């Protein structure tokens, strides 16, 4: 979804005052809302450690980990490299 469509959707989801406050507070910034609804890992460090453990076990390819943890392939690479 592009930014224009996302703002339109936000306007539909919240009242006018809330929308105006959000726009005023976040104007000029990029906000990313993850599509991952997996709440298994409440701590990102714990999740990242598990990703690295899975990768170095040799049982998973990066693409498999991306699918397993609902992340992009590039994000998985960054997590693995951030030892």
């Amino acid at each position: 979804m592009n930014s224009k469509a996302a703002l339109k959707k936000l306007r539909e989801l919240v009242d006018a005052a809330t929308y105006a406050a959000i726009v005023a507070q976040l104007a000029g910034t990029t906000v990313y809302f993850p599509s991952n609804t997996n709440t298994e890992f409440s701590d990102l460090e714990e999740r990242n450690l598990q990703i690295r453990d899975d990768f170095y076990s040799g049982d998973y390819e990066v693409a498999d980990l991306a699918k397993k943890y609902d992340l992009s392939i590039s994000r998985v690479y960054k997590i693995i490299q951030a030892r």
Side-chain angles (χ1 to χ4, degrees), residues 65-77:
L65 293 171
K67 187 176 274 191
K68 178 179 178 180
Y69 292 97
D70 196 22
L71 298 169
S72 68
I73 290 173
S74 63
R75 184 69 194 132
V76 172
Y77 274 118

Side-chain angles (χ1 to χ4, degrees), residues 10-75:
L10 179 62
R11 188 181 302 244
E12 293 170 2
L13 293 172
V14 300
D15 61 78
T18 303
Y19 178 81
I22 291 169
V23 170
Q25 292 284 323
L26 300 176
T29 64
T30 301
V31 179
Y32 171 75
F33 295 97
S35 61
N36 183 352
T37 57
N38 181 356
T39 58
E40 179 181 349
F41 294 100
S42 59
D43 180 17
L44 290 180
E45 286 301 318
E46 177 186 340
R47 182 205 63 190
N48 293 351
L49 180 61
Q50 186 62 51
I51 290 170
R52 287 190 289 275
D53 287 347
D54 285 349
F55 179 76
Y56 289 113
S57 73
D59 295 334
Y60 295 93
E61 299 283 329
V62 171
D64 299 328
L65 293 171
K67 187 176 274 191
K68 178 179 178 180
Y69 292 97
D70 196 22
L71 298 169
S72 68
I73 290 173
S74 63
R75 184 69 194 132

